[in-house]
Amino acid sequence: MHDDRPQQQRHSSIVRVVVIRLALALVLGLAVTAGLIRAGFLDIPSRFNPFAPLQIADEVNWLTRWKLARLERDRRQCLAVLDGSPVSHRAVPDRAPEEGCGLSNAVEVSRSSVGLNGGFTATCPLTVAWALFEQHVLRPAAQEHLSQEVVRVAHLGTYACRNINHRAGGRRSEHATANAIDIAGFVLASGQQVTVRGDWTGGDQNREAFLRALRDGACRFFDVVLSPDYNEAHHDHFHFDMGSYRACR
């Protein structure tokens, strides 16, 4: 009986060599392209340029979250992004951690592209994520589902030195470092209010669709997004944070 194994092995070896060479050529091509982009020899829109700073107004794509994540390690660039956004803010001094609570790379926000029921202090990356959310989720969703603008957001605060869900034990909440914000409702241009507590279920279908569009869209920018679907503790608000976990519930 003729043994075809040597021929099959030679064929497999040739295939492996071809695949390796193609992979090396691809890596080399990407490296050369990246070098040309970084050096400025290739002019591409900032939203497609991995080396260009994040801009709030840019159309969202797969690079957006990567650029947003970079801001957690770059205070200067994070503040520069906010400087080019509609968010009125000022940097606040760091507060050394004490018992798991403190501030680092935080800003005080007085206004954004919509009104707020009060100012808040939050980490710079969280504030940038909020600006992206307003621009690319909140305002479009209001027009699509409610045919009007949101003029004010009602939040429940950002900084609170406490554990998750106010428990006596367990780990600290992202609120303990002003890295989270809770949102209770919205005031429309007509003066009507849409609240998480009153409109998440059993009410107007357009309002329900609006709130679900916000929950789903927020997951594009925030690391953790929790809604009434998560648990009873969130029956009356959305929780958005930029922590070390990922959840969209």
Side-chain angles (χ1 to χ4, degrees), residues 75-92:
R75 178 195 299 254
R76 181 177 300 179
Q77 187 177 112
C78 189
L79 291 173
V81 172
L82 282 182
D83 287 342
S85 77
V87 177
S88 297
H89 67 282
R90 69 175 185 86
V92 299

Side-chain angles (χ1 to χ4, degrees), residues 209-230:
F210 167 67
L211 291 174
R212 279 160 178 75
L214 298 189
R215 190 270 310 275
D216 296 344
C219 299
R220 301 163 69 187
F221 307 115
F222 298 97
D223 290 331
V224 171
V225 174
L226 303 178
S227 72
D229 283 349
Y230 179 56

Side-chain angles (χ1 to χ4, degrees), residues 20-21 30 54 84 93 97 135-136 148-149 163 183 201 249:
I20 291 172
R21 288 180 177 177
L30 291 173
L54 177 66
Q135 174 80 17
H136 300 286
Q148 56 181 306
E149 295 183 356
N163 295 334
I183 305 299
T201 57
R249 302 281 296 275

Side-chain angles (χ1 to χ4, degrees), residues 170-211:
R171 63 184 179 88
R172 287 298 196 191
S173 165
E174 291 297 323
H175 286 287
T177 53
N179 203 30
I181 186 169
D182 291 338
I183 305 299
F186 311 87
V187 179
L188 307 177
S190 64
Q192 296 175 307
Q193 296 187 35
V194 178
T195 66
V196 177
R197 178 198 292 267
D199 296 300
W200 184 253
T201 57
D204 183 272
Q205 291 185 349
N206 291 330
R207 293 185 175 207
E208 290 182 15
F210 167 67
L211 291 174

Side-chain angles (χ1 to χ4, degrees), residues 39-221:
F41 291 111
L42 288 180
D43 185 17
I44 62 175
S46 62
R47 65 183 184 277
F48 297 125
N49 184 347
F51 306 108
L54 177 66
Q55 295 185 36
I56 301 300
D58 277 350
E59 182 181 343
V60 177
N61 60 31
W62 64 276
L63 283 173
T64 304
R65 279 202 65 93
W66 182 74
K67 290 184 177 184
L68 180 58
R70 285 194 317 197
L71 302 182
E72 297 180 12
R73 302 180 299 275
D74 194 331
R75 178 195 299 254
R76 181 177 300 179
Q77 187 177 112
C78 189
L79 291 173
V81 172
L82 282 182
D83 287 342
S85 77
V87 177
S88 297
H89 67 282
R90 69 175 185 86
V92 299
D94 288 354
R95 186 185 305 168
E98 184 175 344
E99 296 184 356
C101 300
L103 295 177
S104 177
N105 188 18
V107 297
E108 185 178 281
V109 175
S110 56
R111 184 174 174 82
S112 53
S113 63
V114 299
L116 301 168
N117 64 318
F120 60 80
T121 298
T123 62
C124 184
L126 178 74
T127 306
V128 171
W130 175 258
L132 288 165
F133 170 76
E134 282 189 344
Q135 174 80 17
H136 300 286
V137 180
L138 176 60
R139 298 174 70 183
Q143 288 294 337
E144 178 181 354
H145 298 288
L146 305 174
S147 301
Q148 56 181 306
E149 295 183 356
V150 169
V151 296
R152 189 163 68 252
V153 173
H155 68 83
L156 302 177
T158 51
Y159 178 75
C161 185
R162 63 173 176 82
N163 295 334
I164 293 175
N165 292 335
H166 301 272
R167 294 171 182 157
R171 63 184 179 88
R172 287 298 196 191
S173 165
E174 291 297 323
H175 286 287
T177 53
N179 203 30
I181 186 169
D182 291 338
I183 305 299
F186 311 87
V187 179
L188 307 177
S190 64
Q192 296 175 307
Q193 296 187 35
V194 178
T195 66
V196 177
R197 178 198 292 267
D199 296 300
W200 184 253
T201 57
D204 183 272
Q205 291 185 349
N206 291 330
R207 293 185 175 207
E208 290 182 15
F210 167 67
L211 291 174
R212 279 160 178 75
L214 298 189
R215 190 270 310 275
D216 296 344
C219 299
R220 301 163 69 187
F221 307 115

